[in-house]
Amino acid sequence: MLSEFSEFQGQLRVFCEERSTLLDTLRQLEAANIETEPSVTHDNGYRLAKHPFSSSRREKYTVFSSTEFSDEIDKNEVEEVSDEEISYFDTQESFHELIISHGSIAAKSHMGRLTESAEPHNNMEDSFFESLPLDFERRTELPDPLEKEKSVSLWSMIKDNVGKDLTRVCLPVYFNEPISSLQKCCEDMEYSNLLDKAYEYGKAGDSLQRILNVAAFAVSGYASSKGRQCKPFNPLLGETYEADFPDKGIRFFSEKVSHHPTIIACHCEGKGWKFWGDSNLRTKFWGRSIQLDPVGVLTLEFDDGEIFQWSKVTTSIYNLILGKLYCDHHGVMHIRGNRQFSSRLRFKEQSILDRNPHLVDGFVEDASGKKVATIYGKWDDSLHYSSVDGDGRPKECSKSPDASLLWKKNTPPVNVTRYNLTSFAITLNEITPGLQEKLPPTDSRFRPDQRHLENGEYDKANSEKQRLERRQRMSRKLQECGWKPRWFQQESENGPYEYVGGYWESRNERRWDGCPDIFGEFNRDAAVSL
């Protein structure tokens, strides 16, 4: 903690010196009746250079945003921070949303005392929180490619693999997107605010609105799949991923717990709810299309004890050989509740002549099987609902003028990549300032082939992917020799994987016992240690 505070003290000192120099220059120009330079704005604001906290190693993994602040002071008064606040880069997860109070003059003095004293840090945290703002902007685009992408024939890759499991087919890195399947699981949490609303509705006694928002959340996870033509990286055995979003109020964690069959387990904590599950994705080529059949149950539990469970529907990717690639989701999703309401949703399969694709419709029913509301919309756009009419029959939501909006897809990013990642997905592989030192060596952000692909270093990405796939072939033998997941466990042989706890505590202590370097060179000694 003292080391963290010492870094911030140095940052403040640099900012104060730059500001003092600028103000002295402004006073001299004003005294000489000379107009200010173009770089100085009308409100005495200026843009700072790259933050001194960044290093060449961190610049390789993330895109920093320049920070700016404006300030007006009298030379005989104590310096005060203006309404346009200083932006710093975060190095502690608990510091994300701190805002400096106007007129505070304690920051610098607290920083000095913290480096000289080792008092219990509870009081230090309180005073530091009040005086120092820590915030950063997540990136809005991927790095510019360093190499020109090569064209590869998809048909030449798949013609000998028709009918085989996709997870067993070694494809070049050009068919991947720069996130792993662990991170793709986290994309389902983009609209976690729907679960926050469901929790509040349940607390207020409105069980119908709770199940409606849960149903909207279950559908919203498919919105990011539109236009996504590349497959995520298949994680290595033991690979993990964490996502901490204080602004959304969620903490997400996932781990690859089995290599054969390939199973990914995840656990997420939100405001009054917990979400977990594991998935075994069965994938097959069928010449012109790919079919993905998820196997596994997702569970949502609210703090008041109400539980909902559902499974995902089938996903198919069409036109592999000719035409424009597109994906579609089809099947029936049954959201089962342990109390008053459940829901059944149908994802309509798109036909060749269908002019209105991606349709989802369904209903909410009570414990007796009586329909109390209908749901209608598109999984890539929005959902609406309508309650029963005066005759006790559910209205057709698509024809009802009083249908209410449940969920609407977020606006796509301005800087669209060829991967068609959403604004939320673009942030998932980013190593934000101060995060690198906290992550375990198994985190997906450290996977070299994935990082090279994100940076547009395609040759390096392809060679690293081949190296890691050779290492991955040892995973089945390791699993047969008694390898166990680090953060999840299976109570029965065919039962679900459940989070055993301890990850976030280890993260705070930066203690990663039992977490091997799975992305390094593989040798016999490494196999013995694993």
Side-chain angles (χ1 to χ4, degrees):
M1 184 66 73
L2 293 178
S3 175
E4 297 281 343
F5 292 165
S6 179
E7 290 184 14
F8 294 134
Q9 183 184 16
Q11 297 170 24
L12 282 175
R13 186 181 297 111
V14 172
F15 285 160
C16 290
E17 291 174 357
E18 291 181 348
R19 183 172 57 184
S20 177
T21 302
L22 176 64
L23 292 173
D24 289 341
T25 303
L26 290 175
R27 292 191 186 99
Q28 293 174 7
L29 294 174
E30 183 179 5
N33 291 324
I34 300 176
E35 293 185 358
T36 58
E37 292 293 331
S39 60
V40 181
T41 62
H42 68 282
D43 59 347
N44 293 345
Y46 64 95
R47 184 172 296 275
L48 297 178
K50 183 172 289 186
H51 198 286
F53 177 68
S54 66
S55 64
S56 59
R57 186 176 181 184
R58 290 191 179 94
E59 288 171 9
K60 184 177 180 181
Y61 292 106
T62 185
V63 178
F64 289 91
S65 301
S66 59
T67 60
E68 62 179 358
F69 65 87
S70 60
D71 194 9
E72 293 183 0
I73 64 170
D74 185 86
K75 58 183 178 181
N76 296 323
E77 295 178 350
V78 178
E79 293 183 355
E80 295 183 352
V81 180
S82 69
D83 291 340
E84 190 171 351
E85 299 164 347
I86 307 174
S87 295
Y88 289 91
F89 296 105
D90 193 4
T91 59
Q92 288 289 352
E93 63 172 342
S94 57
F95 293 168
H96 285 294
E97 298 178 331
L98 298 178
I99 300 177
I100 194 166
S101 57
H102 294 282
S104 172
I105 61 175
K108 192 170 182 179
S109 61
H110 274 298
M111 298 291 288
R113 289 199 299 271
L114 290 174
T115 56
E116 298 171 0
S117 165
E119 295 293 331
H121 72 276
N122 290 337
N123 294 333
M124 294 192 297
E125 275 190 279
D126 295 338
S127 60
F128 185 73
F129 286 177
E130 295 174 359
S131 60
L132 186 61
L134 295 173
D135 194 12
F136 62 88
E137 294 183 2
R138 296 187 182 270
R139 66 185 183 183
T140 58
E141 59 182 342
L142 297 180
D144 294 330
L146 299 179
E147 301 174 5
K148 184 177 180 180
E149 190 173 3
K150 300 177 181 179
S151 60
V152 180
S153 172
L154 179 60
W155 173 243
S156 65
M157 296 292 105
I158 67 173
K159 63 181 180 181
D160 297 326
N161 297 297
V162 175
K164 294 183 179 179
D165 188 346
L166 178 61
T167 59
R168 297 174 179 271
V169 179
C170 297
L171 296 176
V173 74
Y174 310 107
F175 299 114
N176 288 92
E177 57 185 5
I179 61 173
S180 71
S181 296
L182 297 170
Q183 294 165 315
K184 198 169 183 66
C185 287
C186 186
E187 286 194 63
D188 288 351
M189 310 312 299
E190 179 175 358
Y191 300 95
S192 61
N193 62 300
L194 293 170
L195 299 184
D196 298 337
K197 292 168 62 177
Y199 171 68
E200 295 298 332
Y201 277 123
K203 284 179 58 179
D206 194 338
S207 299
L208 177 58
Q209 285 294 329
R210 170 173 282 190
I211 180 62
L212 286 171
N213 279 274
V214 170
F217 171 78
V219 174
S220 68
Y222 293 95
S224 62
S225 62
K226 184 178 181 181
R228 300 277 284 275
Q229 302 172 2
C230 297
K231 65 183 291 288
F233 281 87
N234 183 27
L236 304 183
L237 184 64
E239 187 173 333
T240 63
Y241 176 72
E242 69 159 66
D244 186 14
F245 289 91
D247 55 328
K248 298 173 69 69
I250 63 172
R251 292 195 311 182
F252 175 91
F253 177 73
S254 57
E255 178 184 10
K256 182 173 180 179
V257 295
S258 172
H259 178 63
H260 184 73
T262 300
I263 300 178
I264 293 173
C266 68
H267 182 88
C268 184
E269 300 173 1
K271 300 174 182 178
W273 52 267
K274 293 181 181 179
F275 174 82
W276 70 89
D278 57 59
S279 63
N280 174 15
L281 194 64
R282 296 176 181 172
T283 309
K284 288 186 178 181
F285 282 109
W286 294 117
R288 295 182 301 171
S289 65
I290 302 175
Q291 181 176 319
L292 300 91
D293 296 309
V295 179
V297 177
L298 303 176
T299 303
L300 171 66
E301 181 179 5
F302 292 97
D303 286 355
D304 57 15
E306 188 166 12
I307 298 175
F308 296 96
Q309 291 184 318
W310 67 91
S311 297
K312 291 199 168 187
V313 298
T314 299
T315 298
S316 296
I317 302 175
Y318 299 97
N319 290 342
L320 295 178
I321 310 302
L322 295 175
K324 184 178 180 181
L325 278 173
Y326 71 94
C327 75
D328 189 33
H329 310 288
H330 50 90
V332 176
M333 176 185 290
H334 190 189
I335 304 174
R336 300 173 178 84
N338 66 338
R339 290 187 181 173
Q340 186 177 1
F341 294 113
S342 298
S343 177
R344 186 182 294 272
L345 302 172
R346 180 175 65 96
F347 289 68
K348 183 180 178 182
E349 186 172 6
Q350 180 177 349
S351 63
I352 298 177
L353 301 178
D354 195 349
R355 297 184 178 182
N356 194 20
H358 309 159
L359 292 180
V360 178
D361 58 29
F363 55 85
V364 174
E365 61 183 4
D366 59 19
S368 64
K370 179 182 177 181
K371 297 179 181 179
V372 296
T374 57
I375 301 174
Y376 180 88
K378 294 186 175 184
W379 53 260
D380 65 330
D381 181 56
S382 61
L383 280 182
H384 291 76
Y385 77 95
S386 181
S387 57
V388 297
D389 58 21
D391 299 330
R393 294 176 301 179
K395 298 179 182 179
E396 287 293 335
C397 188
S398 59
K399 302 177 182 178
S400 177
D402 59 345
S404 302
L405 180 67
L406 264 179
W407 159 77
K408 187 171 181 60
K409 181 183 177 182
N410 291 334
T411 305
V414 177
N415 305 302
V416 181
T417 68
R418 79 170 184 89
Y419 307 108
N420 286 320
L421 300 180
T422 63
S423 298
F424 183 70
I426 287 174
T427 68
L428 296 180
N429 199 47
E430 178 185 21
I431 297 186
T432 54
L435 180 62
Q436 183 172 345
E437 295 79 8
K438 302 176 185 178
L439 296 175
T442 55
D443 195 275
S444 294
R445 297 176 182 89
F446 295 139
R447 180 164 176 158
D449 52 352
Q450 183 173 305
R451 183 62 61 183
H452 286 312
L453 178 62
E454 180 182 285
N455 293 333
E457 301 171 295
Y458 303 109
D459 291 338
K460 291 182 179 179
N462 208 45
S463 61
E464 284 292 329
K465 185 173 186 289
Q466 294 176 3
R467 179 182 68 85
L468 291 177
E469 284 180 345
R470 288 195 297 269
R471 176 169 183 163
Q472 181 75 308
R473 295 187 184 102
M474 296 294 296
S475 297
R476 185 170 182 175
K477 294 183 179 179
L478 291 173
Q479 192 170 332
E480 293 173 351
C481 292
W483 181 91
K484 299 295 182 183
R486 176 67 177 83
W487 307 105
F488 291 85
Q489 69 178 9
Q490 198 176 21
E491 293 186 358
S492 60
E493 182 177 355
N494 297 320
Y497 284 86
E498 296 184 1
Y499 176 59
V500 298
Y503 176 83
W504 298 102
E505 292 76 9
S506 297
R507 182 185 190 272
N508 292 335
E509 300 173 5
R510 304 187 184 184
R511 176 175 51 83
W512 300 116
D513 301 336
C515 295
D517 180 15
I518 62 175
F519 303 125
E521 293 296 334
F522 190 81
N523 51 45
R524 187 175 299 276
D525 294 336
V528 172
S529 65
L530 287 172

